[in-house]
Amino acid sequence: MWTKHYRVMRSELAKCEKARSELEKKHPPHTVQAEQDGQLQDYIQESDSLYEWRLLILTEYWMIEADRLGVPLPDRDDRTLWGRVEFDSDPREPRYLTDAGIRIVRADIREERRQRREPVTFWSSIIIGVVGALTGLASVIPNWWAD
């Protein structure tokens, strides 16, 4: 979990959160004047951009994790799981996972990790049991021969 791309993702999310905090300080008042001047619209547009930035960061991280584990991503044509940055914000129009898409990918990755862990847990419990039985037997045998 503490891979390089995890640290990069956490760093990028911290930058995004800092930008969001700075934006919150600039929140225009809910007045007719602020709405007519376009301040409220600018604030909403910048807030949406920060939200998309956050989702792009998370999408990149979960795509790397899914690829590393061989977990398939949801269908990119499903609009409930994938969103797209508007052309005005970014001419490349990158796609990002929506909150529902992130939940599905995380659940699939969590399931894959659990399935990879199960054989290790199974065999380690057997080995620990055998070692415990041999230790118990080794402690009994000297006393048994002495009697």
Side-chain angles (χ1 to χ4, degrees), residues 7 12-13 41 47-48 63 80 84 86 89 115 130 142:
R7 289 189 304 270
E12 289 295 315
L13 283 177
Q41 181 63 29
S47 177
D48 287 346
M63 285 176 66
T80 60
R84 179 173 272 177
E86 293 181 14
S89 301
Q115 287 180 358
V130 168

Side-chain angles (χ1 to χ4, degrees), residues 23-24 26-28 39-47:
L23 179 65
E24 286 296 319
K26 299 182 213 174
H27 192 288
Q39 294 174 351
L40 198 55
Q41 181 63 29
D42 291 342
Y43 173 79
I44 291 171
Q45 189 173 11
E46 195 168 339
S47 177

Side-chain angles (χ1 to χ4, degrees), residues 96-143:
Y96 56 86
L97 286 164
T98 61
D99 292 330
I102 289 174
R103 273 194 298 278
I104 289 173
V105 170
R106 285 181 64 192
D108 291 347
I109 288 172
R110 195 175 297 123
E111 176 68 24
E112 179 65 26
R113 286 179 178 161
R114 190 177 79 236
Q115 287 180 358
R116 288 182 179 206
R117 231 182 1 252
E118 281 178 358
V120 173
T121 333
F122 174 76
W123 286 108
S124 63
S125 63
I126 289 176
I127 291 171
I128 289 171
V130 168
V131 168
L134 291 175
T135 304
L137 188 61
S139 67
V140 169
I141 288 180
N143 291 338

Side-chain angles (χ1 to χ4, degrees), residues 23-104:
L23 179 65
E24 286 296 319
K25 293 177 186 175
K26 299 182 213 174
H27 192 288
H30 291 288
T31 62
V32 175
Q33 181 66 29
E35 192 172 327
Q36 288 175 348
D37 291 344
Q39 294 174 351
L40 198 55
Q41 181 63 29
D42 291 342
Y43 173 79
I44 291 171
Q45 189 173 11
E46 195 168 339
S47 177
D48 287 346
S49 293
L50 287 174
Y51 179 71
E52 288 175 343
W53 180 27
R54 179 183 173 276
L55 289 177
L56 284 169
I57 293 167
L58 290 172
T59 298
E60 181 181 356
Y61 173 73
W62 290 116
M63 285 176 66
I64 291 170
E65 280 295 302
D67 184 50
R68 189 175 68 80
L69 294 170
V71 174
L73 293 171
D75 183 22
R76 288 183 180 261
D77 294 329
D78 189 347
R79 291 182 180 256
T80 60
L81 303 178
W82 290 91
R84 179 173 272 177
V85 176
E86 293 181 14
F87 183 79
D88 295 340
S89 301
D90 189 346
R92 297 174 296 151
E93 294 187 30
R95 289 179 179 239
Y96 56 86
L97 286 164
T98 61
D99 292 330
I102 289 174
R103 273 194 298 278
I104 289 173

